[in-house]
Amino acid sequence: ETSVRDVPLPQWVIDEMPKEGRLVDYTPDEITKWFGKVVKDLDVPHFRFHDLRKHAVSLMATQGVSMASIKDIGGWSNMQTPQQIYIKSLADAHKREMKKYVSYVDRISTKL
C-alpha cells in the first residue's frame, strides 16, 4: 500500500498502455537489470532507474508544480526530501553550466 502512487501521465503515454491487466509483470530487480541494459545499449551516460524519480522532481519544480504536490506524487512523507533533491539537482546543473563557461573561456583565450 505505501508503494502505490497516482502519477499524472500525458495522454499519449496512457494511450500506449495496456487497457486491462497488469502494466508490467516484473520484479523491481528485473526492471533495474533491464533498464541498465537499455541504457548501456543506447550508449548514453550511465544512470539508474531510480534517478528518473529525481529527474521528475526537478522537471516538476522548474515547471512550477508546488513542492506539496511533488511530495504527494513522489510519495514522500515530508517536504524536505523532494526539496533537497531539487536543490541538489540545481547545484549539479549549475556546476555543469560553469564547466561549459570555463571551457569556452579557455578556447577563446588561446585565440588572443
Side-chain angles (χ1 to χ4, degrees):
E1 281 294 313
T2 61
S3 295
V4 173
R5 307 279 186 273
D6 288 326
V7 179
L9 297 171
Q11 189 60 47
W12 66 268
V13 172
I14 295 168
D15 292 343
E16 292 296 322
M17 298 170 109
K19 302 306 177 217
E20 54 186 58
R22 296 182 70 160
L23 182 59
V24 293
D25 195 24
Y26 302 103
T27 67
D29 285 342
E30 290 170 328
I31 292 171
T32 299
K33 287 177 186 173
W34 168 82
F35 186 79
K37 182 182 178 332
V38 169
V39 168
K40 186 176 181 180
D41 290 349
L42 291 174
D43 197 29
V44 296
H46 172 75
F47 65 98
R48 301 168 305 148
F49 185 75
H50 187 75
D51 293 334
L52 295 173
R53 186 178 186 201
K54 293 178 181 179
H55 184 68
V57 168
S58 298
L59 286 176
M60 284 187 274
T62 60
Q63 296 303 306
V65 177
S66 72
M67 278 296 155
S69 292
I70 293 171
K71 177 189 84 68
D72 291 343
I73 292 166
W76 290 286
S77 61
N78 60 61
M79 298 280 266
Q80 290 77 21
T81 303
Q83 286 174 329
Q84 288 169 348
I85 292 168
Y86 176 62
I87 289 168
K88 182 179 181 328
S89 67
L90 278 181
D92 292 346
H94 178 72
K95 287 177 189 174
R96 286 191 302 275
E97 294 299 317
M98 288 298 99
K99 284 181 182 179
K100 286 182 192 176
Y101 168 72
V102 169
S103 175
Y104 172 75
V105 171
D106 282 345
R107 284 193 314 273
I108 64 169
S109 71
T110 61
K111 296 178 182 182
L112 298 177

